[in-house]
Amino acid sequence: MSGVVTLIKEDHQKLESVFKKLEKAEPTEIPDLLRQVQELLVPHSKAEEQVVYPAIKSMVPDESSDVDDGLEEHHHVEQTLQELLASDPGAPGVDGLIAAMIGEVRHHVEEEEEQILPSFSKAANNQQLGELGEQFTAAKEQALQSLQRA
Ligand SMILES: [Fe+2]
Ligand SMILES: [Fe+2]
């Protein structure tokens, strides 16, 4: 059974590998890669918001403001992603917007991995991390289904 922190980091790595492709993509490859980003990023963020962030706020109150900042970052990144999905991939400005989105996500991931999740790992026991991992996976699955229905 993988704990929630491991699952979150695995998702971050998957996203990073799509970012690497996106950074050197030709315009014709961009729409498909953006959809891959969307299917990885949106369910991940929703599951963090539903399952992980509330648990962190209650178990590590000192991390509350970092968690609130993280939530804002999720929303901003999703807005940028929506804007990109609606854009012509060859349009001027698209490359810059992609670079900005990737930079923002990397910054956010670093904050989760270096700051928020280590504090949380210290406060939670293995059983809690395991149970949250199951809830995280279920929430992600549901969010992916509603994304695919949309
Ligand atoms: Fe994350
Ligand atoms: Fe996040």
Side-chain angles (χ1 to χ4, degrees), residues 124-138:
N125 63 39
N126 280 344
Q127 193 192 340
Q128 288 167 321
L129 293 171
E131 281 168 6
L132 285 165
E134 283 171 26
Q135 291 170 29
F136 175 76
T137 301

Side-chain angles (χ1 to χ4, degrees), residues 13-23 32-34 36-37 40 102:
Q13 275 167 17
K14 286 182 199 154
L15 251 182
E16 180 57 34
S17 73
V18 182
F19 286 164
K20 292 243 161 63
K21 292 182 198 159
L22 199 50
E23 283 176 321
D32 181 54
L33 288 167
L34 286 174
Q36 290 180 38
V37 169
L40 286 169
I102 291 175

Side-chain angles (χ1 to χ4, degrees), residues 8 11-12 44-45 48 53 74 108-109 112 117:
I8 289 175
D11 285 352
H12 292 166
H44 174 91
S45 302
E48 283 182 344
Y53 284 3
H74 284 182
H108 175 76
V109 161
E112 284 186 350
L117 294 173

Side-chain angles (χ1 to χ4, degrees):
M1 174 167 72
S2 273
V4 67
V5 173
T6 310
L7 295 172
I8 289 175
K9 289 183 176 173
E10 283 171 6
D11 285 352
H12 292 166
Q13 275 167 17
K14 286 182 199 154
L15 251 182
E16 180 57 34
S17 73
V18 182
F19 286 164
K20 292 243 161 63
K21 292 182 198 159
L22 199 50
E23 283 176 321
K24 22 175 212 212
E26 299 296 329
T28 52
E29 302 168 312
I30 289 177
D32 181 54
L33 288 167
L34 286 174
R35 272 189 295 274
Q36 290 180 38
V37 169
Q38 186 186 32
E39 292 201 346
L40 286 169
L41 184 123
V42 174
H44 174 91
S45 302
K46 294 268 174 292
E48 283 182 344
E49 291 165 22
Q50 284 167 15
V51 173
V52 186
Y53 284 3
I56 296 176
K57 281 178 116 171
S58 83
M59 291 168 75
V60 200
D62 282 354
E63 284 301 326
S64 281
S65 73
D66 285 332
V67 167
D68 288 338
D69 289 348
L71 194 71
E72 287 294 312
E73 287 161 8
H74 284 182
H75 292 158
H76 190 258
V77 165
E78 276 176 47
Q79 270 172 17
T80 309
L81 183 60
Q82 288 305 333
E83 203 179 316
L84 280 167
L85 285 162
S87 303
D88 171 353
V94 162
D95 283 354
L97 205 53
I98 287 175
M101 177 190 71
I102 291 175
E104 241 183 288
V105 174
R106 282 181 178 146
H107 162 83
H108 175 76
V109 161
E110 191 181 305
E111 218 152 66
E112 284 186 350
E113 294 196 1
E114 307 293 325
Q115 171 71 32
I116 299 177
L117 294 173
S119 313
F120 177 53
S121 289
K122 266 186 244 159
N125 63 39
N126 280 344
Q127 193 192 340
Q128 288 167 321
L129 293 171
E131 281 168 6
L132 285 165
E134 283 171 26
Q135 291 170 29
F136 175 76
T137 301
K140 224 170 67 177
E141 194 51 46
Q142 255 196 353
L144 180 63
Q145 279 171 20
S146 50
L147 184 69
Q148 287 168 339
R149 272 196 304 268

